[in-house]
Amino acid sequence: MSRILAVDDSKPMLAMLSSCLKKGGHEVIQAVDGVQALAQLKEHQPDMVITDLNMPNMDGLEFIEAARKDPAGNAVPILLLTTETAQALKDRAREVRATGWLTKPFDPDQILGLVDQLS
Amino acid sequence: MDDDDEDFEALFFTECEELLSDLQEHLDVLYSGNGDQETLNAAFRAVHSVKGGAAAFGFDDLISFAHKFESVMDLARSDELELTPDVCQVLLRSGDVMESLIEKARERDTSPSETMNKVLAELAVLADPNAADESPAEEVVEEVSATEAPEPEVEEDDVPALRSVEVHFQPDAGFFRSGHDALKLISSAKAMGLCKTVVEGEIQPLPDFNLDDCTVSWRLHFETELDNAKIESFFLAYEAAATWDILSSDDAEEEPVEVAAAPAVVEEKPAPAAPPEVAKPDAKAEAPAKSASKPSEPAAASSKKPGISKSLRVELARVDRLVNLVGEIVITQAALAQKLSEAGPSVDLEVEHSVEAMSRQTRDLQESVMAIRAQPVKSVFSRMPRVVRDLADKLGKDVRLELSGEQTEVDTTVIEELAEPLTHMLRNSMDHGLEGPEERIEAGKSGTGIIKLAAEHRGERVIITISDDGRGINREVVLRKAIEKGLVAEDDNLTPDEIDQLIFHAGFSTAESVSSVSGRGVGMDVVKRKIQELGGRCWLKSEPGLGCKFTIALPLTLAVLEGMTIAVGDERYILPLSNVVEALRLDSVELHEMPDSSKVLTRRGEYLPVLSIRHALKVTGDPLKEDLAIIVDTESDGHVALLIDELIGQRQVVLKSLEANYHRVDGVSGATILGDGRVALILDIPNLITLNNTTSNQIAEALH
């Protein structure tokens, strides 16, 4: 079981992602934007983070960039889960040191597999 | 992508079913007035979760309805709306509408629903016009059960041959900085068949080690049954921070050692020791989040860690397969034991002990497997309050349903099949059994009728009873009807109890005018048949003016049975042990012939009807001994003595369906394979006896 921080500004998506992770036996912490996510990251020190890209206040890329500067987020796997597919964004993700990129809609089994593989 | 969508949709719908049943339960509690804030919150969360899921798939009707529903409940949560019974009724109806909307979403049916509009109007009345419409509340779906393991390496049938695959994995310089953990990579890869890791490149000495500059690469050698696509998808997880080549050497089996400049070959047997170990101290310091749990954790990539998830969701088919396999083991074990006993005293004592131990263990194994399939009857019982409430409204009767023994566990298949007969019996009790309020008060009873639905374990069976305090069975009417329909002759002289049981007779319906409730042309005979299909039996006891009690006795499982093997002529039969009372030698008891040539046996001053199995099943073959009698309990007709030739022994048998492999035979509940490979029929004793009073020939005909 891992402790996973799920970040998404859409509540249904957040609920579904969380539900999927919980069914995989994981503990889930939630955040609805990058700012909250950063706070949660520091407080709960999750084993893995799965975050949306487009969010208010602080988006997924900004969040990863900030997280990597923090001891709690420096080495934690952070997956981006988004509908975006633009190469520029992917390059940017690599730059800010995202661990991986997943496209919505997601396959629960794939997510759970990745959690097991990476966290 | 379509596939993914459907997978997730299926997940959503499955979840909806659970949410709906939760919702129903909570609303029932609220309706009964026993609810508190937490009940309400739970109900709210259920609706909210449905809404959340619906939004992700764009089921618009469902979203908007759930939203309104949720808003009204939210008012109740903030005490702006009082949960009167009327309000609860609306909520219950809303739950129904939501259920039908989910069903429609599943069927992709977008036609408008009138009921929905009606209930929407009711909800609108409840909702304060200027009430908030955004649901606050952080919520999450509550349950913590696990889905199937993500990538289970369960190969059911043929196991494909192992292939050798080599992957050259080149991490980017920033690999360690992107949340990747090389140790984790290797331990995960082991689950895919990684057996050897060769490190290439110079590992920097610790003082110079720079996390930002990964200078090594790996040659990962797999012995795997997975195809390249699977391996590729595994490595896709590292797409953002590494490159790799998959060199599958399908035919050429070569040692990967030769490539490395200064190869540090690490056999992956005991613990993965690789460069990440070097990286570890540094990483630990920088990532306290990971340090606590990771290193101590066994390298189990996809396996579930025990003790954490409390439940595991498994496809029924897998359990069934397990049950079948265990069944086969039981048979094999029996065969082994039999061979051994035939071999006589020459067998080594230790072998004998081992076989005995094995027999015990097999039994334990079987019980454990059966326990997986067991479920509390609660899942069926919890649907009944709704049935009763709806019907009470329709019939204008006051009814209180009392449930007990909901935690009693029964085999899953039995549970699934139970809902229909139970519903039917409840309807029957409410429609025919319970009187209207006035009539009840006139009879000196309370205006509210009580129906009790109870379940309990009794030996190898589960007993479910439905009792009401209504008027009982009107024997006069039943008898008249039965004579009219030619089911019994006028001069049959039935006992009151026999008359009562007539309502289980096929085609019998006493509803004076066929009501919309229980008289759908089908009667209690359908219930009886259903129960019999489940290997159970049902009967009733009625006390005129005081009420009626239906009893259903079901086997705990449909898969195995504790049985007594008997011999009649050349045939072997199994009597369910639950029916067997005792065995008697005929020379120790008296056998009397009755005027109608039937026989009775006296046992301790009690007269028991006697049935010859040989005669009943038209068994041929000698020797004709019939010097043993097995006293059996028929549950509904008292004790009966069965005449047999030989008692072979007690054993556990695996039920094989006669229906699935041949066709249904009255008097026989199934078949089993004996240790020596012979097929033995399992006798359905009550059925056999009932039949034998009238039509023993039919059974014999069916068998030959």
Side-chain angles (χ1 to χ4, degrees):
Chain A
M1 191 194 88
S2 304
R3 179 185 292 177
I4 298 163
L5 172 58
V7 192
D8 203 321
D9 61 321
S10 138
K11 280 192 183 171
M13 277 314 298
L14 187 59
M16 284 173 89
L17 177 61
S18 304
S19 139
C20 155
L21 292 169
K22 286 191 175 183
K23 286 189 176 166
H26 302 291
E27 183 191 344
V28 180
I29 302 150
Q30 299 183 323
V32 295
D33 59 32
V35 177
Q36 217 181 75
L38 211 52
Q40 296 280 51
L41 183 73
K42 288 178 196 178
E43 189 183 336
H44 296 286
Q45 312 206 333
D47 301 315
M48 185 166 186
V49 182
I50 301 178
T51 177
D52 188 13
L53 202 157
N54 297 316
M55 292 181 296
N57 301 330
M58 180 192 271
D59 73 18
L61 291 168
E62 291 165 337
F63 159 65
I64 297 176
E65 195 162 26
R68 290 296 182 220
K69 292 186 181 127
D70 190 284
N74 193 317
V76 67
I78 306 180
L79 292 179
L80 272 163
L81 177 59
T82 173
T83 45
E84 303 283 352
T85 51
Q87 191 54 48
L89 281 171
K90 286 195 179 179
D91 290 345
R92 174 103 179 95
R94 193 180 264 244
E95 217 170 79
V96 300
R97 293 192 280 122
T99 307
W101 186 285
L102 280 164
T103 2
K104 288 180 191 174
F106 66 88
D107 169 7
D109 286 350
Q110 191 197 357
I111 291 256
L112 292 176
L114 278 173
V115 169
D116 279 334
Q117 190 178 334
L118 294 175
S119 75
Chain B
M1 279 301 145
D2 276 350
D3 269 5
D4 290 356
D5 275 357
E6 285 193 359
D7 275 2
F8 206 1
E9 251 183 65
L11 187 81
F12 167 62
F13 286 123
T14 313
E15 191 174 27
C16 277
E17 282 166 24
E18 283 164 24
L19 291 169
L20 281 171
S21 115
D22 285 355
L23 175 66
Q24 179 77 49
E25 194 179 304
H26 299 313
L27 290 180
D28 278 337
V29 174
L30 290 174
Y31 181 65
S32 71
N34 296 328
D36 54 15
Q37 191 66 27
E38 198 28 60
T39 320
L40 183 58
N41 286 341
F44 175 86
R45 276 199 302 273
V47 178
H48 186 71
S49 299
V50 170
K51 186 179 93 168
F57 294 107
F59 298 132
D60 295 336
D61 278 0
L62 186 54
I63 303 168
S64 67
F65 184 83
H67 182 69
K68 302 256 168 50
F69 189 2
E70 174 185 88
S71 308
V72 168
M73 266 201 275
D74 205 32
L75 289 178
R77 294 204 315 166
S78 53
D79 288 329
E80 286 168 55
L81 178 70
E82 198 194 336
L83 282 177
T84 61
D86 284 347
V87 171
C88 288
Q89 286 274 16
V90 175
L91 295 183
L92 281 162
R93 278 199 288 277
S94 303
D96 288 349
V97 169
M98 201 163 79
E99 184 169 6
S100 73
L101 286 174
I102 290 170
E103 203 42 53
K104 284 174 83 172
R106 195 200 291 257
E107 313 264 307
R108 305 247 173 270
D109 174 359
T110 49
S111 61
S113 154
E114 262 178 48
T115 340
M116 177 179 97
N117 293 334
K118 200 175 127 241
V119 175
L120 267 182
E122 289 179 323
L123 283 173
V125 173
L126 293 180
D128 192 315
N130 50 23
D133 59 355
E134 195 43 57
S135 58
E138 273 309 307
E139 57 67 48
V140 207
V141 192
E142 36 309 274
E143 120 208 60
V144 195
S145 70
T147 54
E148 311 91 285
E151 267 290 306
E153 52 274 47
V154 180
E155 293 304 325
E156 296 239 318
D157 301 311
D158 48 342
V159 181
L162 295 180
R163 303 185 310 128
S164 292
V165 178
E166 194 183 294
V167 178
H168 185 213
F169 188 83
Q170 175 67 61
D172 291 354
F175 184 73
F176 295 125
R177 287 294 196 192
S178 305
H180 287 290
D181 176 344
L183 183 61
K184 183 70 193 175
L185 160 69
I186 287 167
S187 66
S188 294
K190 277 173 81 178
M192 309 223 321
L194 177 70
C195 60
K196 193 175 281 182
T197 307
V198 180
V199 186
E200 290 180 351
E202 208 68 46
I203 300 174
Q204 293 149 316
L206 209 51
D208 304 333
F209 197 84
N210 183 358
L211 264 184
D212 288 317
D213 187 16
C214 179
T215 56
V216 292
S217 64
W218 296 285
R219 282 190 181 271
L220 305 167
H221 187 78
F222 292 86
E223 292 289 340
T224 182
E225 54 206 38
L226 302 172
D227 55 23
N228 280 4
K230 282 262 163 57
I231 295 174
E232 178 74 29
S233 74
F234 173 86
F235 284 102
L236 274 177
Y238 307 96
E239 194 181 17
T243 50
W244 61 89
D245 288 316
I246 298 179
L247 320 158
S248 91
S249 45
D250 279 73
D251 23 31
E253 257 251 341
E254 15 139 28
E255 279 294 320
V257 198
E258 97 291 329
V259 220
V265 180
V266 189
E267 284 291 342
E268 288 298 340
K269 291 283 145 55
E277 284 300 341
V278 186
K280 217 60 207 189
D282 210 346
K284 248 184 211 170
E286 287 189 83
K290 303 188 62 105
S291 62
S293 59
K294 289 302 127 158
S296 60
E297 216 169 69
S302 59
S303 66
K304 295 279 161 228
K305 288 90 184 173
I308 289 165
S309 58
K310 294 213 175 72
S311 65
L312 175 71
R313 199 169 305 187
V314 182
E315 268 173 77
L316 198 54
R318 289 196 194 182
V319 179
D320 283 346
R321 189 172 150 75
L322 191 60
V323 169
N324 280 338
L325 283 174
V326 171
E328 302 298 331
I329 291 182
V330 170
I331 292 176
T332 315
Q333 200 277 329
L336 186 62
Q338 182 162 346
K339 290 264 152 56
L340 211 63
S341 73
E342 280 165 9
S346 63
V347 183
D348 193 324
L349 199 65
E350 273 181 40
V351 175
E352 215 167 290
H353 283 173
S354 303
V355 171
E356 256 169 48
M358 188 181 154
S359 130
R360 239 186 356 259
Q361 287 151 1
T362 317
R363 189 166 302 210
D364 285 350
L365 176 63
Q366 193 157 39
E367 269 169 27
S368 312
V369 171
M370 290 307 156
I372 299 179
R373 288 183 56 101
Q375 256 187 16
V377 289
K378 188 169 181 232
S379 55
V380 187
F381 275 23
S382 63
R383 288 187 235 166
M384 297 303 147
R386 143 67 37 104
V387 171
V388 169
R389 207 173 40 239
D390 285 356
L391 197 59
D393 282 353
K394 235 181 254 173
L395 293 169
K397 293 178 180 176
D398 277 342
V399 184
R400 195 169 77 231
L401 178 68
E402 293 176 2
L403 302 176
S404 63
E406 293 148 283
Q407 293 308 325
T408 311
E409 292 197 330
V410 193
D411 192 90
T412 312
T413 12
V414 177
I415 298 246
E416 281 162 11
E417 301 291 327
L418 212 50
E420 194 194 317
L422 276 189
T423 311
H424 210 80
M425 287 166 108
L426 276 179
R427 288 185 162 157
N428 187 76
S429 291
M430 291 181 66
D431 197 15
H432 302 304
L434 292 181
E435 316 88 334
E438 299 86 21
E439 198 184 329
R440 286 183 65 87
I441 290 164
E442 234 166 73
K445 302 180 190 176
S446 115
T448 306
I450 296 174
I451 296 188
K452 289 181 185 160
L453 181 57
E456 61 167 323
H457 276 158
R458 208 179 285 164
E460 296 276 285
R461 327 218 108 211
V462 174
I463 308 287
I464 295 174
T465 53
I466 300 168
S467 38
D468 63 64
D469 63 347
R471 55 171 86 96
I473 284 178
N474 188 336
R475 290 182 183 137
E476 230 170 90
V477 176
V478 169
L479 189 59
R480 181 162 45 90
K481 275 265 149 105
I483 293 170
E484 258 172 42
K485 303 209 169 181
L487 301 175
V488 292
E490 220 153 323
D491 52 0
D492 263 357
N493 253 339
L494 298 177
T495 63
D497 192 48
E498 279 171 324
I499 297 172
D500 291 345
Q501 311 299 332
L502 280 175
I503 72 161
F504 287 119
H505 216 289
F508 188 92
S509 178
T510 58
E512 299 259 327
S513 62
V514 173
S515 75
S516 71
V517 179
S518 58
R520 262 179 297 143
V522 291
M524 295 301 284
D525 61 311
V526 177
V527 171
K528 183 165 190 171
R529 202 163 55 228
K530 190 90 200 174
I531 300 293
Q532 278 175 344
E533 276 168 22
L534 292 173
R537 249 164 286 293
C538 56
W539 65 92
L540 67 88
K541 285 245 176 306
S542 165
E543 301 235 15
L546 293 177
C548 187
K549 177 173 172 182
F550 288 91
T551 307
I552 302 174
L554 289 166
L556 283 184
T557 161
L558 305 179
V560 278
L561 171 114
E562 198 71 42
M564 173 100 72
T565 317
I566 57 165
V568 177
D570 294 335
E571 298 294 330
R572 300 283 178 275
Y573 296 100
I574 311 284
L575 302 176
L577 204 63
S578 52
N579 291 115
V580 175
V581 180
E582 66 173 304
L584 296 173
R585 288 222 157 268
L586 276 193
D587 49 26
S588 67
V589 289
E590 278 181 79
L591 210 54
H592 310 272
E593 188 145 340
M594 302 297 282
D596 62 348
S597 88
S598 67
K599 288 178 181 157
V600 293
L601 176 152
T602 33
R603 183 193 60 154
R604 296 190 278 275
E606 184 191 5
Y607 286 92
L608 300 177
V610 171
L611 176 68
S612 157
I613 299 277
R614 178 182 288 266
H615 175 73
L617 298 177
K618 297 250 186 322
V619 181
T620 54
D622 33 58
L624 173 59
K625 292 196 290 192
E626 290 208 331
D627 55 359
L628 270 177
I630 305 276
I631 314 292
V632 291
D633 183 2
T634 60
E635 281 163 16
S636 49
D637 302 327
H639 292 179
V640 174
L642 302 179
L643 294 188
I644 62 164
D645 290 342
E646 204 182 326
L647 187 66
I648 295 180
Q650 181 185 332
R651 53 177 292 153
Q652 219 175 22
V653 298
V654 180
L655 277 165
K656 303 275 175 195
S657 163
L658 214 52
E659 228 163 303
N661 299 308
Y662 177 54
H663 60 67
R664 185 177 155 71
V665 177
D666 284 332
V668 173
S669 60
T672 191
I673 301 167
L674 297 177
D676 59 5
R678 293 171 66 166
V679 172
L681 296 178
I682 299 162
L683 301 182
D684 178 353
I685 291 176
N687 190 229
L688 186 68
I689 284 159
T690 318
L691 279 166
N692 227 219
N693 287 337
T694 48
T695 58
S696 62
N697 290 338
Q698 280 173 6
I699 316 167
E701 271 164 30
L703 282 174
H704 293 289

